[in-house]
């Protein structure tokens, strides 16, 4: 029997996220993005609609050339202004019980020790409902905001991410053994020092001693999202991701991408079903086809071509001018999101996609317009292509989601395409995979118990760590036994 599809609300704490220009409509609630009321009400609504997660995107810089004009960005509200989604999640956790809460954080913006602590705290507060969208950033301006001269080369950013996740895995999975938290009032021992370990990570970019300060949270490691569509991004996902966000142009391209990624996951010692794939999609729903088309015309009346072109970024020259729409994408340097270009190329066999194709794909994307029955038919096609879930892109808040819940969801449930309850699982990973913690075949699992040979030193030698451990090719060595590489510019932070 086919599993019901999973559904996330794809959001950002900003007035204009994906469907640009819609904030100008008088009923568009996203203009109130900066307050709590919009998000708290939306969280309750989405939980009523049995959404699996609120998936918050984020950026740490402007789209476009680092030295170019950002007038269009500001006029459009195009992810500026925007607020930090990670801060928002604790408030959402307080008013919900089931829905997952996913935040985006790139490897430049937060040292791994601090980030791991924030995520563990949120996972405790939410009782195991946190997910992390691992990104490497695509913006030159973002790199400059964190002290870098420019954006690191595309594939090298994934090398950076490999070390970053290695550090947080050590903290989440290896620093605290099971049973370390005692809460022994009579014995005066809150935790067992023999089961809490420093990690002594020394790598190309980071030196992190540890131990992890929070006790293990319900999931330990949050559910891991990733969205890379380039060959290097797919390789990273096949090794690390549990959920992959895709934005392919049709089911055939989705199938090719998904099958290839699953094959790589198996080659990495994982199971093909260890990854769930979420297609990005927006919906325009009407009780009749004519009503749906009328709604769609209203949405397109508010759509901003300037906003979509600015968001695409590719083809914008340093002075802010844009290349012609018929410029082949292969002729445009691209150190950003290469996956969209690859997917467009697969969708246009026989010709090279041009800049205008990318802009049109950004504007319309996978927007399903029709009656609930027509949309359900289309979703079944995507499901047969291997898609496990949908990241539901909104046009206007909260209307896009109330329409989905009130008008489309009942039809999806009748067809077995959507669940009818959250079930008994209490964690986000438990609901999606049936287990609360990462499986043993995930690369993070190699750090479970990896630092235990230091326990005797911690408990019996005044806290002095002794010995070294090499686990899965990753060395965790005593600093007295190792001559470390020079520390980066900021210890524990990006160099």
């Amino acid at each position: 029997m086919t599993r019901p599809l999973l559904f996330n609300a794809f959001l950002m704490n900003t007035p204009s996220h994906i469907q640009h220009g819609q904030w100008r409509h008088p009923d568009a609630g996203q203009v109130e993005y900066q307050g709590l009321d919009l998000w708290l009400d939306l969280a309750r609504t989405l939980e009523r609609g049995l959404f699996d997660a609120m998936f918050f995107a984020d950026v740490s810089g402007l789209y476009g050339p680092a030295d170019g004009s950002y007038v269009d960005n500001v006029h459009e509200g195009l992810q500026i202004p925007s607020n930090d989604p990670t801060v928002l999640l604790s408030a959402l956790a307080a008013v919900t019980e089931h829905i997952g809460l996913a935040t985006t954080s790139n490897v430049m913006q937060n040292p791994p020790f601090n980030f791991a602590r924030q995520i563990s705290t949120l996972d405790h507060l939410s009782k195991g409902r946190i997910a992390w969208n691992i990104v490497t950033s695509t913006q030159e301006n973002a790199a400059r905001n964190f002290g870098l001269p420019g954006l690191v080369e595309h594939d090298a950013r994934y090398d950076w991410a490999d070390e970053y996740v290695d550090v947080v895995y050590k903290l989440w999975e290896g620093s605290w053994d099971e049973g370390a938290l005692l809460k022994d009032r009579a014995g005066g021992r809150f935790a067992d020092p023999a089961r809490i370990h420093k990690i002594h990570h020394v790598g190309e970019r980071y030196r992190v001693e540890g131990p992890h300060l929070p006790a293990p949270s319900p999931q330990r490691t949050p559910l891991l999202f990733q969205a890379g569509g380039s060959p290097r991004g797919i390789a990273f996902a096949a090794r690390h991701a549990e959920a992959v966000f895709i934005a392919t142009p049709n089911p055939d391209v989705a199938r090719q991408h998904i099958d290839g990624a699953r094959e790589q996951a198996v080659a990495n010692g994982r199971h093909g079903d260890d990854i769930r794939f979420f297609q990005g999609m927006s919906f325009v729903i009407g009780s009749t086809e004519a009503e749906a088309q009328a709604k769609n015309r209203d949405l397109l009346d508010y759509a901003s071509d300037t906003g979509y072109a600015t968001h695409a970024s590719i083809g914008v020259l340093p002075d802010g001018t844009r290349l012609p729409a018929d410029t082949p994408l292969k002729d445009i340097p691209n150190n950003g999101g290469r996956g969209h270009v690859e997917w467009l190329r697969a969708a246009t066999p026989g010709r090279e996609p041009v800049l205008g194709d990318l802009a049109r794909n950004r504007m319309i994307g996978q927007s399903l317009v029709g009656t609930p029955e027509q949309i359900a038919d289309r979703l079944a096609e995507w499901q047969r292509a291997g898609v496990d879930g949908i990241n539901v892109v909104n046009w206007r808040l909260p209307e896009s989601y109330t329409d989905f819940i009130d008008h489309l969801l009942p039809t999806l449930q009748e067809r077995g395409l959507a669940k009818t309850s959250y079930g008994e699982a209490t964690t986000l990973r438990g609901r999606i995979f049936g287990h609360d913690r990462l499986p043993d075949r995930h690369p993070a699992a190699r750090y479970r118990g990896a630092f235990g040979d230091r326990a005797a030193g911690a408990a019996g030698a005044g806290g002095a760590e002794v010995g070294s451990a090499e686990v899965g090719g990753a060395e965790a060595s005593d600093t007295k036994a190792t001559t470390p590489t020079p520390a980066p510019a900021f210890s524990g932070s990006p160099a």
Side-chain angles (χ1 to χ4, degrees):
M1 182 177 177
T2 304
R3 292 189 292 249
L5 289 167
L6 302 163
F7 292 96
N8 297 330
F10 191 39
L11 304 162
M12 190 170 178
N13 199 353
T14 188
S16 193
H17 176 204
I18 299 293
Q19 304 291 19
H20 301 298
Q22 298 301 320
W23 64 269
R24 297 175 296 145
H25 191 278
D27 295 333
Q30 54 260 47
V31 293
E32 304 301 334
Y33 75 95
Q34 75 277 14
L36 269 178
D37 289 347
L38 170 70
W39 302 112
L40 298 181
D41 289 344
L42 182 60
R44 296 184 186 103
T45 296
L46 293 168
E47 194 161 75
R48 173 175 67 85
L50 303 177
F51 271 67
D52 290 281
M54 300 177 73
F55 184 116
F56 282 91
D58 194 31
V59 292
S60 50
L62 300 168
Y63 288 94
D67 295 314
S69 168
Y70 50 91
V71 171
D72 288 339
N73 308 60
V74 173
H75 283 169
E76 296 289 333
L78 198 170
Q79 302 182 17
I80 177 174
S82 67
N83 291 344
D84 186 338
T86 306
V87 176
L88 178 61
L89 296 194
S90 60
L92 302 180
V95 300
T96 56
E97 183 179 357
H98 304 288
I99 195 167
L101 303 168
T103 191
T104 295
S105 182
N106 74 62
V107 297
M108 291 189 296
Q109 73 185 78
N110 203 345
F113 179 85
N114 190 60
F115 176 72
R117 187 185 188 202
Q118 290 175 333
I119 290 296
S120 292
T121 302
L122 286 169
D123 205 50
H124 278 298
L125 294 175
S126 66
K127 299 180 181 178
R129 294 185 282 132
I130 298 301
W132 170 33
N133 179 33
I134 309 167
V135 295
T136 59
S137 187
T138 61
Q139 296 140 342
E140 293 287 341
N141 176 244
R144 294 186 180 187
N145 287 336
F146 297 104
L148 297 172
L151 198 62
V152 174
E153 189 275 329
H154 179 275
D155 287 5
R157 297 201 299 274
Y158 280 106
D159 297 337
W160 182 344
D162 280 330
E163 183 181 358
Y164 192 100
V165 297
D166 201 47
V167 176
V168 295
Y169 290 163
K170 289 175 181 178
L171 293 166
W172 287 326
E173 297 290 337
S175 187
W176 287 63
D177 295 340
E178 293 295 329
L181 193 65
L182 303 175
K183 298 183 181 179
D184 177 9
R185 287 186 168 95
R189 297 185 308 154
F190 198 84
D192 181 355
R195 298 182 182 183
I196 303 171
H197 318 295
K198 293 182 177 181
I199 65 168
H200 290 291
H201 175 90
V202 178
E204 182 178 349
R205 288 188 175 273
Y206 301 105
R207 293 181 60 177
V208 180
E209 182 174 88
H212 192 42
L213 295 182
S217 68
Q219 296 184 120
R220 278 194 179 252
T221 296
L223 187 77
L224 299 170
F225 273 91
Q226 200 265 344
S230 67
R232 183 64 175 90
I234 296 168
F236 183 90
R239 180 165 173 78
H240 298 286
E242 298 176 275
V244 173
F245 178 25
I246 61 176
T248 54
N250 58 57
D252 288 339
V253 175
R255 183 187 298 279
Q256 295 170 27
H257 177 90
I258 292 168
D259 288 349
R262 291 198 195 280
E263 288 174 4
Q264 288 194 44
V266 171
N268 284 326
R270 304 176 69 193
H271 293 173
D273 201 40
D274 283 347
I275 306 176
R276 300 285 190 263
F277 290 85
F278 288 77
Q279 168 72 25
M281 198 169 287
S282 56
F283 299 90
V284 184
I285 309 156
S287 57
T288 65
E289 188 171 355
E291 181 183 329
Q293 292 297 337
K295 285 186 175 181
N296 193 51
R297 286 193 294 273
D298 176 64
L299 293 166
L300 295 181
D301 283 346
Y302 280 88
S304 169
D305 290 346
T306 299
Y308 290 111
T310 304
H311 191 173
S313 291
I314 298 174
V316 183
L317 300 176
D319 63 0
T321 60
R322 294 183 172 89
L323 294 172
D326 60 356
T327 305
L329 291 179
K330 66 179 177 59
D331 295 338
I332 304 174
N334 178 16
N335 193 26
R338 295 180 181 173
H340 290 286
V341 175
E342 296 298 327
W343 290 328
L344 274 176
R345 187 168 284 119
T348 56
R351 73 172 180 87
E352 174 65 23
V354 298
L355 187 59
D357 292 322
L358 184 64
R360 284 188 290 273
N361 182 257
R362 284 277 189 181
M363 181 171 70
I364 305 299
Q366 285 306 313
S367 180
L368 300 190
V369 182
T371 66
E373 293 76 15
Q374 291 171 329
I375 292 173
D377 290 341
R378 295 287 304 280
L379 286 178
E381 294 175 12
W382 285 90
Q383 187 185 51
R384 287 192 293 270
V387 167
D388 301 289
I390 305 297
N391 263 3
V392 181
V393 179
N394 66 83
W395 295 90
R396 298 168 189 160
L397 294 179
E399 176 186 320
S400 293
Y401 298 113
T402 55
D403 273 2
F404 181 98
I405 293 165
D406 295 336
H407 302 301
L408 178 58
L409 181 61
T411 300
L412 299 180
Q413 290 172 327
E414 289 170 7
R415 297 199 186 184
L417 290 169
K419 60 182 169 294
T420 57
S421 73
Y422 277 115
E424 297 181 0
T426 58
T427 68
L428 179 56
R429 182 178 286 113
R431 187 166 62 254
I432 293 176
F433 288 102
H435 45 260
D436 296 334
R437 303 282 176 83
L438 284 168
D440 290 343
R441 55 190 173 268
H442 191 278
R446 70 187 186 272
Y447 294 121
R448 294 170 183 163
F451 308 104
D453 60 344
R454 303 170 181 273
E465 297 284 328
V466 296
S468 65
E470 186 172 319
V471 185
E475 188 174 354
S477 303
D478 189 297
T479 52
K480 291 183 292 185
T482 305
T483 302
T485 55
F490 302 95
S491 183
S493 303

